[in-house]
Each structure stands twice: as C-alpha cells, then as structure tokens.
Amino acid sequence: MKCNFCNNNAVYKDIDGNFYCRDHFIKYFEEKTIDTIEKYKLIKSGERVGVGVSGGKDSNALLFFLNKYKEYFNIEVFGIHIDEGIKGYRDKDTEKLLEISKKYNLNVKIYRFSEYFNIRLDEAVKISKEYKSCTICGVWRRWLMWKAAKDLNLDKFATAHNLNDEVQTILMNIFEGNLKDLLKEGPYVGIVEGDFIPRIKPFYFNTEKENLLYSILNNLEPPFGECPFIVGEFRDIIRSKLYKLEDKYPGFHKNFLRNILEIIYKAKNDYKMRNKIRLRKCKICGYPTTREICRACEIKLRINNI
Ligand SMILES: [Zn+2]
Ligand SMILES: [Zn+2]
C-alpha cells in the first residue's frame, strides 16, 4: 500500500482508512498530540514539565516528543525515572533509557527506592508480610514523584497514558463503583489540595498501536516487557473485549472516550463543590496526607524495623 500523501510505502492505516508512510505517520502523530495539548490547555509557555519515564515504550515516546517540541511550547522538560530495584527487569529498562537519553540529549533524573527508603523493592517484598508488592511500589512511587516535583520545581507532571489505557481505566472504575477515581480521569487532572501539581496526558487521544509505532520508528522501544510483580487479570479481560469491539466498530474507543469525558467533566464540578478534602502535612516528610504520618513513611518505618 502507498501513502495517501506521497509516493512512499505505507506503514500505518488510521480508523478512517487513510494510509501513512513513516514520515507522514510521524507528522500525523505529532500534530494530533499538539492538538490535544492546545485544545485542553495542558501546557503554558515558560513551564517546567516533568515526565515520568518507566523506560517503557509509551513514556520514552512522550519524553522524546516533549523534548522535540520544547522550543515550540517554550518549556523545560525533565524525565523522571524511578528505579524500584527489581533484578533482571528494571535494570535493563534503566540501561536502555540512559542510552536513549544520551543519544537524544534528554534530561533524565533517576530516583531510587534504595536511596530514599533504604531498601530495594524485591527485598522489601520478601520481608513484608503486611503489604502487597503493588501497594509498596505504588505508594513509594507516588511519594518519589512528589519529591521530584518539589526538587525540580515542576509546574506539571506529564504521563504517557493512551486512549486504550484510559477507556480501560474508566470502565474498570465504573464496574468497581469507584466514583472518586472515575472523576479523576481526563487529559488534565487538576490539584485536589496541598502542594501536588497538575497531571497532564498529552497522548490521551493516541492509541496504544500508534504509541508503539511512534516508539519503533524513533528507535525508542525497550528490550523487555512487563513488571514481574504485575497482576492485572481484570484489566486484561477488559482490554481484549474492547479490542474485539474496536475490530467490529472502528473508532469505538475514541467515540466512547469523547462521550464519557463530557459526563465526567459535568460530574467533576458538581462533586468538587460538595466534597472539599482537607489535607495536612506528614509529620516526618511533609507529604500532603489525611493522616498524621503518610503511607510512604509508614511502610518505610515498618519494613525497615522488621
Ligand atoms: Zn507519505
Ligand atoms: Zn511522610
């Protein structure tokens, strides 16, 4: 197949049946992302934007994209990589990320569990009876992201969630009756209270396949796949059912997301007015929390005392 816009061979077909060659796909992908950023006012001129980079394809692509357009948006871009300490998994991704950042001159800072919590995740999981691996990992990651935002004086935090991720997450929240998290969805997640910074999702309307192709065409893909501790059966089921729907009804994800976003935005304002959450600061570290000591400090204390 030939590209619709030039004479080269096509590498991609979009849901409307248009064919794109390598260069025209990259142009299409980048223009769509710029549209999302501008339409939802995700970034302002002069801001310092952090990107959480796991070393996986989506976040590598996001860091690469924002860095490529940092003059266009007049922003400073920082990659923030969290090394949980999982032998054979994270160290490979970290290596690849460092290789990419050197090649493309990306500014990447590394935050290690071992440095801030005195222990690697794989060791913490072995000695902890109280906490599941994903709990420790999630709580500590969030804490380190907050710490990085403070250290680097960031205005926004960008994550690489794509269209498919978002539709899955929204449906999971609906099925689980999780209204509070459902209302947090959208390309721009504002601040609840305290000194958190807004989270933005520039790839919100790009599909998983488009992110993958963009990473491959730019040589950004990581050597290995998923976290060995991951348990995501429910998400996997939803994901595969949704792909079947997409096959039968092309554009299903996109249409669903556009419709549900309108409902979420309306509900969000209503909910915000009725529920003001009072946050205070953790006695030990200053992290915004509803408790006296935040969960990150609590887990750190328990695990290091065993
Ligand atoms: Zn072309
Ligand atoms: Zn704390």
Side-chain angles (χ1 to χ4, degrees), residues 3-9 19-25:
C3 173
N4 280 18
F5 310 93
C6 73
N7 247 337
N8 293 328
N9 286 331
F19 289 91
Y20 300 82
C21 67
R22 179 190 186 277
D23 289 353
H24 279 109
F25 169 77

Side-chain angles (χ1 to χ4, degrees), residues 19-260:
F19 289 91
Y20 300 82
C21 67
R22 179 190 186 277
D23 289 353
H24 279 109
F25 169 77
I26 289 178
K27 190 167 176 275
Y28 154 87
F29 181 94
E30 292 180 348
E31 279 173 358
K32 187 151 96 162
T33 309
I34 291 173
D35 274 356
T36 304
I37 293 175
E38 292 181 340
K39 185 174 172 202
Y40 292 93
K41 300 185 174 62
L42 301 189
I43 300 173
K44 280 192 226 134
S45 171
E47 284 188 330
R48 295 164 71 87
V49 181
V51 183
V53 271
S54 61
K57 61 177 166 51
D58 299 81
S59 55
N60 285 355
L62 181 59
L63 178 62
F64 174 83
F65 167 84
L66 285 174
N67 195 64
K68 186 169 172 182
Y69 284 90
K70 66 181 174 194
E71 273 97 33
Y72 176 88
F73 289 113
N74 185 31
I75 53 171
E76 276 186 76
V77 179
F78 303 86
I80 292 142
H81 178 68
I82 294 184
D83 178 3
E84 305 92 341
I86 309 174
K87 249 199 188 78
Y89 157 69
R90 184 56 84 207
D91 35 10
K92 297 279 192 309
D93 281 349
T94 309
E95 245 171 64
K96 173 78 183 176
L97 178 64
L98 289 176
E99 188 192 307
I100 292 169
S101 41
K102 220 175 176 181
K103 189 169 151 198
Y104 294 110
N105 205 11
L106 309 171
N107 191 356
V108 175
K109 313 264 179 224
I110 297 183
Y111 284 77
R112 294 195 160 85
F113 275 15
S114 56
E115 196 180 316
Y116 291 90
F117 305 108
N118 308 327
I119 192 163
R120 301 162 51 93
L121 181 64
D122 46 18
E123 287 158 6
V125 168
K126 256 185 248 159
I127 56 173
S128 165
K129 287 165 200 80
E130 284 172 85
Y131 306 105
K132 286 185 192 152
S133 55
C134 292
T135 306
I136 305 174
C137 187
V139 170
W140 283 357
R141 288 179 67 86
R142 265 196 302 281
W143 189 91
L144 278 179
M145 291 291 185
W146 166 80
K147 174 86 177 126
K150 264 181 118 58
D151 286 354
L152 300 167
N153 202 11
L154 301 178
D155 298 295
K156 298 275 166 64
F157 218 105
T159 59
H161 292 94
N162 61 51
L163 182 90
N164 303 81
D165 290 334
E166 288 300 303
V167 173
Q168 290 156 25
T169 305
I170 287 171
L171 283 176
M172 284 167 74
N173 282 324
I174 292 176
F175 291 144
E176 288 165 346
N178 197 348
L179 179 69
K180 218 174 113 205
D181 282 345
L182 178 65
L183 294 180
K184 280 189 203 151
E185 294 306 320
Y188 185 104
V189 186
I191 328 156
V192 187
E193 211 187 289
D195 54 357
F196 290 112
I197 56 170
R199 271 195 303 128
I200 55 169
K201 301 171 189 170
F203 286 169
Y204 205 75
F205 291 104
N206 303 355
T207 66
E208 192 178 5
K209 274 187 199 152
E210 288 171 346
N211 276 9
L212 177 62
L213 187 56
Y214 186 74
S215 320
I216 292 173
L217 296 177
N218 287 300
N219 281 317
L220 303 168
E221 81 277 32
F224 289 105
E226 288 191 334
C227 168
F229 293 122
I230 211 155
V231 263
E233 203 194 351
F234 187 40
R235 182 179 284 272
D236 280 349
I237 293 168
I238 290 185
R239 183 173 179 271
S240 70
K241 297 275 178 220
L242 287 173
Y243 267 112
K244 279 191 188 139
L245 274 168
E246 182 75 41
D247 271 350
K248 213 163 172 202
Y249 308 103
F252 169 81
H253 281 82
K254 196 174 121 193
N255 296 333
F256 173 83
L257 197 59
R258 282 201 193 281
N259 295 336
I260 195 101

